[in-house]
Amino acid sequence: MRRRHRVPTIWLFTDERQGAALWAALARLPRGAGVVFRHYGAADRADIAGRVRAACRRRGLLFIVGGPARLARAWRADGHHGRTPGALTAPAHGRAELVAARRAGARLAFLSPVHATRSHPGAPTLGRVRFGLIARDAGVAVAGLGGMTAARFRALRRLGAAGWGAIDAFGAWAPPASA
């Protein structure tokens, strides 16, 4: 795994529900964006990971595997996403998990859900203000996740967000020129 690289502002989180839309979403990402490969329930996860990694390499995207570091190394990823030491990115749902991400050495934590999202229907959301209050002084760069769009990121950026990630937003979203 390559460890030193610029941490992107824009991230695509993969999900089995994307189906063929995954490839269109990858094509829409600007060079320098990141991909957190999940597809946890896919029977052919390793095959899909290889295809996503190849697309990332061709397009200049960072390829991160959701799961343990050993799996990310085996799949020749740029890093892994998780709650373990050495993870490049980490999930967080509150201040305690942001602290844990910082202590584990993550360079970016995804705080979620900021807004309502199809992947977790009915889940309580943070909203912009609570996101900003939790992310403030986290000691780690914080990105918004959950119902995010480019416009919603612009609003969060004023509150200290370092980036944003999404599953569905890249289906109809036209990305900016740079990540």
Side-chain angles (χ1 to χ4, degrees):
M1 284 188 307
R2 290 179 270 161
R3 181 69 176 138
R4 299 311 298 168
H5 35 71
R6 188 180 71 77
V7 177
T9 301
I10 299 169
W11 292 83
L12 169 67
F13 278 67
T14 74
D15 186 293
E16 296 92 316
R17 293 170 296 142
Q18 289 167 312
L22 168 62
W23 309 108
L26 284 167
R28 286 186 181 96
L29 288 173
R31 180 172 285 288
V35 175
V36 176
F37 179 78
R38 299 177 326 151
H39 276 71
Y40 298 120
D44 55 347
R45 187 176 188 220
D47 177 57
I48 297 169
R51 292 172 46 215
V52 170
R53 182 190 64 241
C56 287
R57 297 293 183 259
R58 280 192 308 275
R59 304 228 36 262
L61 307 172
L62 200 64
F63 175 68
I64 306 297
V65 169
R70 64 178 159 59
L71 183 60
R73 281 191 298 274
W75 288 352
R76 298 186 323 271
D78 297 308
H80 74 284
H81 173 79
R83 293 186 170 98
T84 58
L88 177 70
T89 62
H93 299 90
R95 189 173 303 281
E97 289 179 333
L98 286 178
V99 169
R102 178 180 46 80
R103 288 182 179 157
R107 294 188 45 210
L108 181 69
F110 288 95
L111 182 58
S112 71
V114 181
H115 302 284
T117 175
R118 281 189 336 135
S119 58
H120 296 91
T125 61
L126 298 168
R128 284 186 19 217
V129 172
R130 191 159 176 233
F131 173 93
L133 291 171
I134 293 171
R136 182 176 49 188
D137 303 321
V140 63
V142 180
L145 182 63
M148 292 298 298
T149 63
R152 287 177 168 174
F153 169 61
R154 286 190 293 276
L156 283 186
R157 189 171 224 162
R158 291 188 292 263
L159 300 172
W164 66 286
I167 297 170
D168 293 332
F170 300 102
W173 175 69
S178 66

